[in-house]
């Protein structure tokens, strides 16, 4: 094993200057990586996991950042032991992309939009290897075949914006693999992708690892993903490693409260919970900011909040006796795809194609499907943010499509939407207070601005923020806090009906649990009706009473969320369910057995 | 692509039509009678009437407008029999190719747009423009070349050395360059390099692209171009530097630049290959806008350096109320604007595949 050593990180410290303070983003961490091994680094945003990977690549932006301590020893096949920290920028470049390669979280923006996919991969090959243009082209096409891209010749000559997110990530992987690296650093490579695509990418990475005997550093905020992939897990919290061990150890017997929190906060598939356990259930902080453990095991935390089948059935009997709040019949929303010279549409994209369903008062209806299935368009159509091409929408028995613009404006107060990206849906130049107050002023809620201010502060408390946040600007908040602000803004109008469009998809799993709990608490308190849209079936299942599975603009399945999960009727639903990373012990045992079998074969 | 260009050209023609309409009615409400301009205050009634008849200014305004449009349109309808008619196909005005006859007297022709004649010199406006426009175009073009080449380079350096002494200095100079009025800067430059330092620079404070030499006749004088084009280029230079800087900073923080770094590319290669092409779009817009603007705005610089360009000509025509020249020049500027915009749209397509495939 010793000969297989690839990377030793010893006491690494990376600091950033921020407004006169020095922040230790990575604080004294040590680990090793061997050939053929996958190490999973888990932690929430800001825990220092990305900074760790950038430190190894020597890509910490300086200023404001710098590596201030420790050693990063890389065992090169050709050059022996080198401390990457002591290399000059010029020397380091011959390792980057060549022996240590990296793929990033955002495949959408990680490729240069003005060059073809083929050219970008060829560039990496020709940079590190002395090969002709023709050979580089051949090699690129070969790589595209290896990463299982459909029609490699076409992908070679198209530009990044012409292919899907999953395909882009495959191009990125091809680029990273192009020089046969010893180490592959994958920084949240599947976070921005659909679960179904995530599954195929993870499978691909495992396959490539076996073929090329790489060491992989896999960074993620989601322990579920790690379970199927990693041999060794490192849990990071606030720049420090709080727990390290084999994947089986971590999952079967987590020791640190933070690890327990991470394990418990994923929406479970086999149980139905009233609320999700969060990290705070396992640890508290004393006045000095030190972690105080609350002794509790993961299963204790989960079992204390279970809803039984009988309870749920009773709830549903009461729920479905109520009135319908929203009725959709035969909704079609088409967008023009190609136009003739005179602007006449010759081809349509059928984003929503003949969809009908009802929503009952107080219900949470889940809407699930892959990206591009039309779920977001449907949500926007219900609010008339997109006009449907055909169909009828009744909200509280009022025909929305026949309402006068003025009446529609009044009605908008009852129907709110919470968007996916909390970063771009808040105006950066308006304070939090202004952002929440604006819709109240528009709809003339409350008499004076003073009353409104009081109400905003009340709302901030409701969503778990504080009074002092009123006059702060969005950039001062984390993603989860921003999503809370967006929720408070939606609440400001006392709506009856809220659409959550991928509202938690951009958040870490641990933060996601908090926001989901908040949404549920609010529902109980204010009696909302939700349509909850997400690509993640586990989240939708946790939230919803009934669930609608959408595919290519049409409804695949509709029914009780538990029934659909336990007894899916269509192949598409089965595919969605099977691609959820489950993170169960049996899965880990299974994947370990598979790995061992492979080892036996290669030996 | 061809469909895209055709569409742009059709839009351009529509814009020009609007411009012609606005110009025509605007200049018609201006005070000033062409006959008085030509003949002076004390002309007799007969000659004034004759001029009105000749120019068509005795006709109702809508007919004048129709006549004007007919004169400007490359395809137009004329009367080829009645020499008294305002619609008469006068060989002194037009050079044409007949397309087809319509009825007994009318003919449809393909012709060079007729911009009418100067009230003062009686020369065709198109001749005046033909003579002066190239001089201004050369001046504006060399200014914009200086501004864009130097500006893009300095902008990149500013972006890379962000917040350095050089970067701060360039910001100060850029603000100065934008704020300083061109006639003032022009005077300083002319005085300094054309007079005080003339022994070293060998330049003169004034002069045009062509000098009339007693022995050799017309002579091309490229060195006369140096000072006015620098003067004219200062403002666009200042803007291009700042625009390039911010655009470059924006691009350098993009994810694909991080990807390029992770590939192991050198900083130089990252900038030249990956950043520059992405950062150029806003700069191309600015440069093209300025180029058209410089054509029209070269006036002060042309006066200071006595450059025989169209700005000088328009200025003189304005002081003498010589409307056809002013109208003709305005129209030409509008056409140049439209044309450059079409070119820029095509350049966008070349630079950014996302535009090309939309």
């Amino acid at each position: 094993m010793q000969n297989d050593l690839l990377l030793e990180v010893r006491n690494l410290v990376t600091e950033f200057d921020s407004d006169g303070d020095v922040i230790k983003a990575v604080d004294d961490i040590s680990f090793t990586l061997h050939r053929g091994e996958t190490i999973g680094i888990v932690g929430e945003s800001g825990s220092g996991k990305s900074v760790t990977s950038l430190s190894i690549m020597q890509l910490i932006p300086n200023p404001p950042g710098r590596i201030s301590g420790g050693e990063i020893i890389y065992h090169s096949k050709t050059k022996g032991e080198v401390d990457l920290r002591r290399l000059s920028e010029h020397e380091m470049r011959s390792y980057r992309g060549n022996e240590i390669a990296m793929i990033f979280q955002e495949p959408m923006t990680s490729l240069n939009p003005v060059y073809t996919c083929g050219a970008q991969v060829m560039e990496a090959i020709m940079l590190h290897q002395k090969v002709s243009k023709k050979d580089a082209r051949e090699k690129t096409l070969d790589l595209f075949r290896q990463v299982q891209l459909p029609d490699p010749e076409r992908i070679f000559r198209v530009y990044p914006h012409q292919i899907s997110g999953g395909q882009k990530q495959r191009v990125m992987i091809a680029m990273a693999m192009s020089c046969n690296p010893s180490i592959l650093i994958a920084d949240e490579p599947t976070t921005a992708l659909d679960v179904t695509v995530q599954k195929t990418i993870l499978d691909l990475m495992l396959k490539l690892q076996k073929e090329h005997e790489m060491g992989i550093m896999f960074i993620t905020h989601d322990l579920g993903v790690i379970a199927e992939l990693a041999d060794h897990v490192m849990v990071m919290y606030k720049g420090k490693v709080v727990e390290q061990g084999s994947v089986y150890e971590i999952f079967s017997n987590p020791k640190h409260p933070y690890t327990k929190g991470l394990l418990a906060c994923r929406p479970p598939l086999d149980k139905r919970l009233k609320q999700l356990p969060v990290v705070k259930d396992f640890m508290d902080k004393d006045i000095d900011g030190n972690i105080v453990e609350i002794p509790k095991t993961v299963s204790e935390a989960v079992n204390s909040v279970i809803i039984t089948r009988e309870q749920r059935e009773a709830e549903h009997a009461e729920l479905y006796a109520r009135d319908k709040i929203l009725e959709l019949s035969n909704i079609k929303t088409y967008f023009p795809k190609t136009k003739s010279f005179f602007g006449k549409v010759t081809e349509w994209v059928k984003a929503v194609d003949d969809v009908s369903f009802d929503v009952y008062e107080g219900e949470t209806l889940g809407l699930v499907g892959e990206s591009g299935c039309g779920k977001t368009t449907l949500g926007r159509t219900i609010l008339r943010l997109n006009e449907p091409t055909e169909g009828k929408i009744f909200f509280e028995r009022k025909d929305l499509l026949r309402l006068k613009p003025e009446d529609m404006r009044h009605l908008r107060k009852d129907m709110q939407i919470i968007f996916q990206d909390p970063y771009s849906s808040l105006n950066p130049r308006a304070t939090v207070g202004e952002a929440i107050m604006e819709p109240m002023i528009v709809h003339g809620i409350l008499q004076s601005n003073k009353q409104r201010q009081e109400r905003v502060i009340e709302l901030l408390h409701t969503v778990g923020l504080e009074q002092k946040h009123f006059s702060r600007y969005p950039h001062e908040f984390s993603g989860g806090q921003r999503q809370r602000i967006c929720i408070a803004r939606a609440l400001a109008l006392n709506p009856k009906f809220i659409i959550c469009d991928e509202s938690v998809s951009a958040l870490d799993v641990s933060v996601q649990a908090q926001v989901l709990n908040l949404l549920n608490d609010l529902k109980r308190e204010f009696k909302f009706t939700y349509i909850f849209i997400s690509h993640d079936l586990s989240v939708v299942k946790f939230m919803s009473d009934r669930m609608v599975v959408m595919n290519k603009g049409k409804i695949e399945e509709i029914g009780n969320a538990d029934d659909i999960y336990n007894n899916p009727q269509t192949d598409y639903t089965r595919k969605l369910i099977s691609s959820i990373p489950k993170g169960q012990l049996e899965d880990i045992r299974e994947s370990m057995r598979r790995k061992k079998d492979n080892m036996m074969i290669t030996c | 692509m061809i469909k895209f260009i055709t569409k742009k050209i059709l839009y351009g023609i529509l814009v020009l039509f609007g411009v012609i309409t606005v110009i025509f009615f605007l200049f018609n409400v201006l005070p000033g009678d062409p006959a008085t301009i030509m003949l002076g205050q004390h002309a007799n009634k007969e000659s004034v009437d004759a001029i009105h008849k000749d120019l068509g200014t005795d006709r109702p305004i809508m007919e004048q407008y129709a006549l004007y449009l007919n004169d400007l349109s490359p395809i137009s309808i004329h009367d080829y029999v009645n020499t008294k008619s305002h619609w008469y196909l006068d060989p002194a005005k037009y050079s044409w190719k007949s397309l087809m006859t319509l009825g007994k007297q009318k003919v449809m022709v393909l012709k060079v747009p007729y911009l009418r004649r100067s009230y003062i010199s009686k020369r065709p406006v198109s001749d005046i423009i033909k003579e002066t426009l190239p001089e201004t175009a050369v001046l504006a073009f060399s200014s914009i070349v200086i501004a864009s080449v130097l500006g893009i380079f300095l902008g990149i350096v500013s972006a890379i050395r962000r917040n350095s002494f050089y970067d701060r200095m360039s910001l100060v100079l850029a603000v100065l360059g934008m704020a300083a009025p061109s006639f003032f800067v022009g005077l300083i430059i002319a005085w300094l390099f054309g007079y005080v330092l003339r022994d070293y620079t060998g330049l003169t404070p004034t002069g045009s692209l062509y000098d009339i030499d007693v022995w050799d006749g017309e002579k091309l004088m490229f060195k006369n171009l140096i000072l006015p084009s620098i003067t004219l280029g200062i403002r666009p230079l200042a803007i291009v530097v700042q625009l390039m800087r911010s655009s470059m900073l924006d691009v350098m923080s993009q994810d694909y630049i991080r990807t390029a770094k992770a590939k192991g590319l050198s900083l130089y290669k990252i900038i030249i290959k990956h950043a520059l092409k992405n950062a150029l779009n806003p700069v191309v817009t600015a440069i093209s806008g300025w180029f058209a603007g410089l054509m029209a705005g070269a006036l002060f610089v042309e006066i200071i350096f006595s450059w025989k360009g169209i700005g000088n000509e328009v200025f003189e025509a304005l002081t003498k109320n010589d409307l056809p020249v002013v109208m003709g020049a305005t129209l030409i500027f509008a056409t140049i604007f439209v044309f450059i915009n079409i070119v820029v749209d095509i350049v966008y397509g070349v630079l950014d595949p996302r535009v090309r495939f939309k």
Side-chain angles (χ1 to χ4, degrees):
Chain A
M1 207 57 176
Q2 195 58 39
N3 297 342
D4 287 343
L5 196 61
L6 272 176
L7 187 73
E8 285 173 86
V9 174
R10 291 187 205 132
N11 309 100
L12 178 70
V13 181
T14 305
E15 296 174 333
F16 283 84
D17 291 331
S18 154
D19 294 330
D21 282 343
V22 176
I23 295 166
K24 283 189 177 167
V26 170
D27 191 1
D28 192 16
I29 68 165
S30 307
F31 63 93
T32 55
L33 178 66
H34 296 86
R35 201 168 288 284
E37 182 188 40
T38 303
I39 182 165
I41 304 181
V42 194
E44 58 196 14
S45 333
S47 62
K49 53 196 196 316
S50 288
V51 175
T52 308
S53 64
L54 289 175
S55 301
I56 294 168
M57 290 294 272
Q58 303 288 312
L59 283 176
I60 295 291
N62 181 3
R66 73 192 157 271
I67 301 174
S68 54
E71 289 168 321
I72 305 168
I73 311 288
Y74 170 61
H75 295 256
S76 169
K77 243 186 215 166
T78 48
K79 292 166 194 147
E81 270 182 44
V82 273
D83 185 351
L84 298 180
R85 264 195 77 196
R86 315 220 173 281
L87 292 179
S88 70
E89 170 62 23
H90 181 76
E91 289 168 315
M92 187 59 214
R93 279 209 300 272
S94 65
Y95 291 95
R96 253 183 235 146
N98 189 16
E99 300 197 28
I100 309 174
M102 192 162 175
I103 46 182
F104 300 95
Q105 173 171 11
E106 288 292 338
M108 307 296 166
T109 51
S110 290
L111 288 167
N112 193 330
V114 302
Y115 292 104
T116 60
C117 298
Q120 297 189 50
V121 178
M122 264 172 73
E123 186 187 26
I125 297 175
M126 287 166 70
L127 179 70
H128 294 294
Q129 298 171 9
K130 303 260 172 296
V131 291
S132 69
K133 218 168 179 168
K134 198 166 152 270
D135 290 345
R137 192 190 133 87
E138 278 312 307
K139 182 133 200 256
T140 306
L141 285 173
D142 190 45
L143 282 163
F144 282 173
R145 274 187 282 274
Q146 271 189 53
V147 295
Q148 293 152 4
L149 275 165
D151 197 355
E153 296 273 351
R154 188 187 83 88
I155 303 282
F156 187 90
R157 38 163 221 274
V158 300
Y159 291 90
H161 70 275
Q162 291 171 291
I163 58 179
S164 72
Q167 289 175 337
K168 272 181 226 174
Q169 198 60 296
R170 279 165 197 270
V171 172
M172 282 297 290
I173 293 175
M175 190 191 292
M177 297 297 301
S178 62
C179 300
N180 262 325
S182 309
I183 300 177
L184 178 66
I185 303 175
D187 188 356
E188 307 244 14
T190 58
T191 307
L193 304 173
D194 274 0
V195 264
T196 43
V197 184
Q198 162 168 303
K199 171 111 179 119
T200 57
I201 296 280
L202 294 181
D203 289 346
L204 172 69
M205 287 183 66
L206 277 177
K207 178 176 153 283
L208 291 174
Q209 180 182 32
K210 252 173 245 157
E211 286 167 11
H212 297 269
E213 281 270 280
M214 285 181 300
I216 295 184
M217 266 175 71
F218 195 97
I219 295 166
T220 179
H221 64 88
D222 186 353
L223 264 174
V225 177
I226 289 281
E228 309 201 349
L229 196 80
D231 305 293
H232 195 82
V233 179
M234 193 164 103
V235 182
M236 285 187 77
Y237 184 71
K238 304 225 156 128
K240 287 197 159 80
V241 175
V242 292
E243 192 163 359
Q244 255 195 86
S246 82
V247 67
Y248 191 76
E249 265 168 41
I250 296 277
F251 274 77
S252 58
N253 187 17
K255 295 203 176 60
H256 194 272
Y258 180 70
T259 318
K260 289 184 198 169
L262 278 186
L263 276 173
C265 69
R266 261 197 85 86
L269 288 160
D270 48 350
K271 302 182 185 88
R272 183 156 277 281
L273 305 185
K274 204 160 133 210
Q275 60 177 26
L276 292 169
V278 291
V279 174
K280 269 199 191 130
D281 292 341
F282 297 94
M283 61 195 231
D284 222 337
K285 278 190 202 127
D286 62 15
I287 310 159
D288 305 325
N290 296 320
I291 296 169
V292 179
E293 190 176 344
I294 302 172
K296 197 192 268 183
T297 65
V298 174
S299 51
E300 274 169 17
V302 171
N303 290 335
S304 65
V305 287
I306 279 185
I307 305 178
T308 62
R309 205 182 160 77
E310 291 72 37
Q311 280 172 329
R312 186 168 158 89
E313 271 167 8
E315 256 174 47
H316 277 187
E318 194 261 328
L319 174 66
Y320 291 114
R322 289 187 209 157
D323 284 341
K324 290 170 183 171
I325 190 167
L326 182 80
E327 293 159 79
L328 304 182
S329 63
N330 307 97
I331 296 293
K332 292 179 185 170
T333 310
Y334 296 173
F335 295 109
K337 187 178 182 189
T338 46
K339 282 184 182 173
S340 70
F341 187 79
F342 297 102
K344 199 165 172 264
V345 180
T346 51
E347 217 184 324
W348 295 94
V349 178
K350 298 180 175 178
V352 177
D353 194 10
D354 201 6
V355 166
S356 315
F357 60 77
D358 304 326
V359 184
Y360 290 82
E361 247 179 68
E363 186 184 14
T364 301
L365 183 85
L367 203 55
V368 67
E370 292 172 295
S371 29
C373 75
K375 54 191 192 307
T376 294
T377 311
L378 180 60
R380 294 177 59 94
T381 305
I382 294 171
L383 296 183
R384 279 185 73 189
L385 297 172
N386 288 122
E387 287 297 319
T389 319
E390 254 183 76
K392 285 205 168 77
I393 307 170
F394 289 94
F395 180 74
E396 295 188 311
R397 304 237 170 77
K398 282 188 278 270
D399 187 344
L400 284 195
L401 299 175
R402 293 230 179 122
L403 281 185
K404 283 184 219 130
E406 203 188 304
D407 296 332
M408 187 65 212
R409 254 205 320 279
H410 285 302
L411 206 66
R412 284 206 185 284
K413 153 174 114 46
D414 293 337
M415 313 167 80
Q416 288 294 309
I417 186 165
I418 301 165
F419 294 103
Q420 169 169 15
D421 192 347
Y423 293 92
S424 57
S425 48
L426 286 169
N427 182 350
R429 293 187 196 284
T431 63
V432 168
E434 283 163 7
I436 303 176
M437 253 164 75
E438 193 187 12
M440 296 169 88
I441 297 170
V442 170
H443 286 282
I445 290 176
L446 299 177
Q447 310 304 318
S448 67
N449 272 350
K450 193 159 179 332
Q451 281 175 315
R452 288 186 192 121
Q453 266 176 29
E454 281 163 15
R455 170 85 180 121
V456 170
I457 289 164
E458 216 178 286
L459 284 168
L460 285 176
H461 287 302
T462 316
V463 298
L465 295 171
E466 289 163 49
Q467 181 168 357
K468 65 177 182 195
H469 293 140
F470 184 90
S471 47
R472 301 243 176 112
Y473 287 90
H475 71 264
E476 299 173 59
F477 295 90
S478 68
Q481 285 175 318
R482 283 185 216 204
Q483 202 56 294
R484 286 166 193 271
I485 297 167
C486 292
I487 294 172
R489 179 171 60 180
L491 293 183
L493 297 174
N494 304 317
K496 296 175 183 154
F497 172 68
I498 298 180
I499 294 183
C500 305
D501 185 3
E502 300 269 12
S503 305
V504 294
S505 306
L507 305 175
D508 281 356
V509 183
S510 50
V511 183
Q512 168 183 303
Q514 295 167 16
V515 174
L516 292 178
N517 285 343
L518 172 66
L519 286 172
N520 273 337
D521 292 346
L522 292 173
K523 184 182 158 179
R524 269 191 285 275
E525 194 178 335
F526 298 102
K527 308 264 180 286
F528 293 133
T529 308
Y530 286 131
I531 286 189
F532 190 90
I533 303 174
S534 175
H535 67 269
D536 190 342
L537 201 135
S538 58
V539 174
V540 173
K541 179 183 170 283
F542 167 71
M543 288 298 286
S544 34
D545 297 303
R546 283 186 309 154
M547 180 155 86
V548 175
V549 183
M550 269 186 89
N551 183 22
K552 292 182 185 148
K554 290 187 190 301
I555 292 183
E556 284 269 329
E557 247 179 278
I558 179 166
N560 187 320
D562 290 350
D563 294 346
I564 288 189
Y565 175 74
N566 294 327
N567 187 15
Q569 296 299 315
T570 62
D571 289 342
Y572 181 74
T573 316
R574 272 190 280 274
K575 188 178 107 189
L576 281 182
I577 292 172
S578 70
S579 49
I580 304 168
K582 296 174 187 70
Q584 303 291 336
L585 283 175
E586 299 84 70
D587 299 322
I588 299 170
R589 278 198 208 104
E590 176 61 27
S591 81
M592 281 164 72
R593 198 174 309 128
R594 251 182 323 190
K595 271 182 197 160
K596 212 171 270 169
D597 290 348
N598 277 313
M599 296 278 268
M600 303 280 267
I601 294 162
T602 44
C603 289
Chain B
M1 195 67 189
I2 289 168
K3 197 170 120 185
F4 172 77
I5 295 171
T6 331
K7 225 174 194 171
K8 290 280 165 199
I9 290 174
L10 286 181
Y11 277 131
I13 291 173
L14 214 66
V15 170
L16 279 184
F17 176 75
V19 170
I20 291 168
T21 310
V22 171
I23 289 178
F24 178 80
F25 289 105
L26 202 66
F27 282 89
N28 250 290
V29 298
L30 282 183
D33 175 15
T36 349
I37 294 166
M38 288 183 197
L39 304 171
Q41 293 293 332
H42 309 292
N44 61 21
K45 198 172 175 306
E46 287 76 40
S47 17
V48 169
D49 284 350
I51 284 175
H52 276 303
K53 195 152 193 306
D54 182 40
L55 293 175
T57 33
D58 56 340
R59 313 296 304 173
I61 186 138
M62 284 323 285
E63 192 182 341
Q64 285 186 45
Y65 175 58
L67 272 170
Y68 189 56
L69 280 182
N70 204 38
D71 275 353
L72 291 175
S73 164
I75 295 171
S76 53
I77 296 165
H78 296 275
D79 189 321
Y80 68 98
V81 180
N82 184 3
T83 49
K84 291 271 159 54
S85 162
H86 288 106
W87 300 83
Y88 178 60
L89 190 59
D90 191 345
K93 293 179 178 173
Y94 315 111
S95 59
W96 72 87
K97 255 204 164 78
S98 297
L99 290 177
M100 59 164 96
T101 44
L102 308 160
K104 273 187 207 154
Q105 303 194 352
K106 299 263 191 272
V107 63
M108 185 189 264
V109 299
L110 182 72
K111 67 167 196 317
V112 180
Y114 174 57
L115 291 172
R116 311 210 159 158
R117 281 166 188 276
S118 157
Y119 291 160
I120 311 292
S121 63
K122 304 284 186 321
R123 291 174 62 206
V125 171
S126 46
D127 283 3
I128 297 175
I129 289 175
K130 232 180 268 167
E131 210 170 86
T132 53
L133 187 68
E135 298 240 352
T136 301
V138 167
L139 177 60
F141 185 72
S142 45
S143 310
I144 211 74
V145 168
I146 293 173
S148 40
V149 172
L150 209 63
I152 288 172
F153 177 73
L154 294 178
I156 293 174
V157 177
S158 251
I160 297 168
R161 303 250 170 95
R162 189 185 177 186
N163 293 337
S164 65
F165 176 74
Y166 166 80
D167 185 26
R168 300 267 157 80
M169 273 313 283
S170 103
L171 178 67
V172 171
L173 288 178
V175 171
L176 219 71
M178 272 183 262
S182 61
F183 55 86
F184 175 69
V185 176
L187 280 178
I188 300 275
I189 287 183
W191 172 75
L192 194 65
F193 295 101
Y195 179 73
V196 179
L197 300 172
R198 71 182 308 168
D199 294 343
Y200 306 100
T201 58
L203 300 173
T204 48
T206 61
S208 223
L209 190 56
Y210 293 98
D211 260 6
I212 310 290
D213 196 275
V214 190
W215 308 110
D216 305 336
E218 229 172 44
K219 216 170 82 185
L220 203 56
M221 298 287 283
F222 267 122
K223 70 169 193 181
N224 283 345
L225 187 61
I226 298 170
L227 295 183
S229 57
I230 288 176
T231 312
L232 194 59
I234 282 179
R235 197 169 293 180
L237 172 68
I239 284 171
V240 170
V241 169
Q242 286 308 304
L243 210 60
M244 192 67 206
R245 175 185 182 271
S246 63
S247 172
M248 200 68 187
L249 281 177
D250 185 43
V251 169
M252 286 304 278
S253 68
Q254 295 289 321
D255 289 345
Y256 52 80
I257 296 299
R258 189 183 54 185
T259 307
K261 283 182 192 159
K263 263 186 209 175
L265 289 170
S266 63
L267 185 65
Y268 172 77
K269 257 203 166 151
I270 289 171
I271 288 166
I272 297 301
K273 204 175 159 192
H274 286 270
L276 191 58
K277 212 172 160 189
N278 279 295
L280 274 181
N281 260 355
V283 180
V284 166
T285 319
I287 290 175
S288 58
W290 270 94
F291 180 55
L294 286 185
M295 299 279 296
L299 174 67
F300 289 116
V301 176
E302 286 183 6
I303 293 173
I304 289 165
F305 293 96
S306 21
W307 190 263
K308 294 195 190 80
I310 198 165
N312 239 335
E313 200 64 45
V314 171
F315 178 66
E316 265 170 49
L318 264 175
T319 54
K320 290 171 189 156
N321 244 345
D322 193 354
L323 292 191
V325 176
V326 181
M327 285 163 89
T330 315
L331 250 178
I332 287 291
F333 289 143
T335 316
I336 291 171
F337 259 103
V338 169
F339 176 73
I340 287 178
N341 269 319
I342 294 172
V343 173
V344 168
D345 281 334
I346 297 167
V347 172
Y348 274 158
V350 175
L351 280 178
D352 193 336
R354 285 168 297 185
V355 178
R356 209 180 311 157
F357 290 101
K358 208 151 79 182

